């Protein structure tokens, strides 16, 4: 079945038909297509654009189809061009001639824009829930190790000691920003495009506010051309996913590093690691590697979408059909990554002894020694130089600061007194906060 056969003398070429069809990927919008159509048809009936009894027949058919979709029992017809055609065909089967009135005062251009928005609204809610769960799990991971101090790094070199809770807190902040980014995207996309029709609206007396309210939108969109050709929300959603994937990937990278023999800061439980087919000793952090690797797909989707939209003249163009390939691939990838991320953090054990060992002779208290001298009246520049010289002395003697005597300290400044050893303890108590 075609939605547009009348004007054509010949049947479409099979290859052309296959090339232009989108049913293989837009079929996953089936549920949203029904939900949108139910609101649309109720409005058509209410406005007497179609007889009320026809409207109720169509709605009944759509509800029947929707229930089948939700039960996983709806069979997609691959011979249909797209999901809109497929649902309409089913409606006509169930509601007879009345079914042919469903597409009054509508085009597939505004219909697909609506379907995508309904899909995104649901997807964003799922992602936000997952993100909130991930934040909770990170908090648990952090609290479980709340007394730990680890080296903070800059340039991947030991810099200053930090509390583990502060370290993980950085990732919690990132994920909270992600949550707010998805909420923003939701707010901006929550305008109802149906009624724009192909691009210029319709001469039927439609009630867009009714449809908008019925579907939980803030209000209808303002401009008809923009309504059918805007994909900002898809790009925004995918951008938010891309930024989130940076955060997950950075965390993954840390865990991969920390699980190496060189760091040995963490142990990932066996159930969340994999072995090697040749090297019996191997225990690989595949999950984190794959979370890191997924960013490739996600950035690919973003670049695909940006490229797709660049230079498209108003209004709808078929190029836009391709947006779903990127959108679904990104949404699926990010949800997969989030699912496993949320779980795996509770399967990481800190190796306290190795962390402590790595901090011995790392001189991360040097800043505190310089601050100590500054508080005793030296300018920071000179204090910095003295602390630096002490580091050099320690390196030469192969000693930790804590192994120096007060006499050693005094060789570099007479400002040092016994209480310098209190400053050194800071290293194992975390940063000063
Ligand atoms: N399948 C299209 C899409 O996914 C919707 C239909 C657009 N309209 C058209 N005349 N081809 O964007």
């Amino acid at each position: 079945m075609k939605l547009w056969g009348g004007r054509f003398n010949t049947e479409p070429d099979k290859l052309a038909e296959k090339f232009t069809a989108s049913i293989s990927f837009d079929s996953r919008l089936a549920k949203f297509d029904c939900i949108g159509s139910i609101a649309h048809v109720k409005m058509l009936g209410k406005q007497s654009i179609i007889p009320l009894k026809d409207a109720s027949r169509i709605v009944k058919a759509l509800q029947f189809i929707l229930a089948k979709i939700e039960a996983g029992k709806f069979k997609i017809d691959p011979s249909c061009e797209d999901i809109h055609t497929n649902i309409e065909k089913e409606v006509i089967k169930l509601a007879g001639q009345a079914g042919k009135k469903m597409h009054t005062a509508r085009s597939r251009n505004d219909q697909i824009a609506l379907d995508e928005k309904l899909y995104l609204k649901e997807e964003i809610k799922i992602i936000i829930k997952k993100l909130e769960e991930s934040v909770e799990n990170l908090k648990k991971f952090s609290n479980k190790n709340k007394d730990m101090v680890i080296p903070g790094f800059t340039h991947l070199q030991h810099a200053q000691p930090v509390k583990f809770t502060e370290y993980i807190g950085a990732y919690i902040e990132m994920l909270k920003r992600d949550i707010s980014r998805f909420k923003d995207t939701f707010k901006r996309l929550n305008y109802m495009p149906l009624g724009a029709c192909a691009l210029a609206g319709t001469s039927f007396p439609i009630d867009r506010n009714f449809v908008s309210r019925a579907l939980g939108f803030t209000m209808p969109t303002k401009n008809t051309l923009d309504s059918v050709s805007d994909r900002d929300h898809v790009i925004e959603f995918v951008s938010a996913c891309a930024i989130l994937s940076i955060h997950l990937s950075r965390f993954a990278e840390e865990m991969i590093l920390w699980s190496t023999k060189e760091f040995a800061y963490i142990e990932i439980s066996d159930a969340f690691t994999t072995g090697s087919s040749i090297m019996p000793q191997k225990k690989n952090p595949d999950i984190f590697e794959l979370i890191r690797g997924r960013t490739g797909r996600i950035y690919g989707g973003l670049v695909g979408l940006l490229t797709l939209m660049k230079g498209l003249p108003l209004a709808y163009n078929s190029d836009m059909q391709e947006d779903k390939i990127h959108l679904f691939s990104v949404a699926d990838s990010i949800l997969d990554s989030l699912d496993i991320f949320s779980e795996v953090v509770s399967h990481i054990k800190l190796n306290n002894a190795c962390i402590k060992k790595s901090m011995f002779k790392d001189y991360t208290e040097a800043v505190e020694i310089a601050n100590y001298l500054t508080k005793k009246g030296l300018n920071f520049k000179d204090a910095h130089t003295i602390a630096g010289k002490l580091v050099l002395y320690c390196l030469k003697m192969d000693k930790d600061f804590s192994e120096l005597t007060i006499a050693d300290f005094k060789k570099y400044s007479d400002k040092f007194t016994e209480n310098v050893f209190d400053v050194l303890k800071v290293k194992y108590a975390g940063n000063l906060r």
Side-chain angles (χ1 to χ4, degrees), residues 22 26 82 84 108-109 112 231 316 318 320-321 324:
S22 55
D26 67 14
D82 53 27
H84 321 302
R108 281 181 298 166
N109 297 353
I112 189 64
R231 291 295 183 271
Y316 180 84
S318 276
M320 289 156 73
Q321 177 165 292
K324 283 165 282 302

Side-chain angles (χ1 to χ4, degrees), residues 1-3 22-23 26-27 29-30 32-34 37 62 65 74 76 80-92 102-103 106-116 194 231 316 321 324:
M1 181 182 120
K2 283 272 171 286
L3 291 172
S22 55
I23 188 78
D26 67 14
S27 56
L29 293 174
F32 306 103
D33 204 69
C34 288
S37 290
L62 283 165
I65 298 166
F74 183 72
I76 297 292
C80 289
E81 181 183 344
D82 53 27
I83 189 59
H84 321 302
T85 318
N86 197 157
I87 301 287
E88 183 166 359
K89 185 175 160 187
E90 287 303 310
V91 168
I92 295 171
M102 178 168 81
H103 207 54
R106 187 174 69 173
S107 151
R108 281 181 298 166
N109 297 353
D110 57 348
Q111 192 178 354
I112 189 64
L114 176 69
D115 288 5
E116 280 191 332
L194 210 67
R231 291 295 183 271
Y316 180 84
Q321 177 165 292
K324 283 165 282 302

Side-chain angles (χ1 to χ4, degrees), residues 228-332:
V228 290
S229 66
D230 167 33
R231 291 295 183 271
D232 286 3
H233 43 283
V234 180
I235 297 173
E236 253 189 82
F237 169 80
V238 170
S239 303
C241 292
I243 297 174
L244 164 58
S245 79
I246 296 177
H247 299 153
L248 299 184
S249 180
R250 290 184 70 179
F251 185 87
E253 171 69 14
E254 306 244 35
M255 295 307 119
I256 294 164
L257 275 176
W258 289 7
S259 66
T260 57
K261 190 168 176 299
E262 286 68 21
F263 269 86
Y265 280 10
I266 57 163
E267 177 85 28
I268 307 166
S269 63
D270 285 3
F272 285 83
T273 48
T274 56
S276 156
S277 60
I278 175 167
M279 298 163 282
Q281 86 286 5
K282 286 299 287 291
K283 183 170 157 180
N284 296 328
D286 289 56
I287 288 178
F288 287 116
E289 293 169 89
L290 289 169
I291 289 176
R292 189 178 57 184
R294 284 285 164 96
T295 52
R297 262 198 242 180
I298 294 168
Y299 296 175
L302 177 59
V303 173
L305 278 164
L306 291 168
T307 314
L308 186 71
M309 292 306 292
K310 174 190 171 293
L312 288 188
L314 287 175
Y316 180 84
N317 297 274
S318 276
D319 312 44
M320 289 156 73
Q321 177 165 292
E322 294 279 309
D323 68 347
K324 283 165 282 302
I325 305 261
H326 302 298
L327 172 59
F328 297 150
S329 145
V330 170
D332 292 347

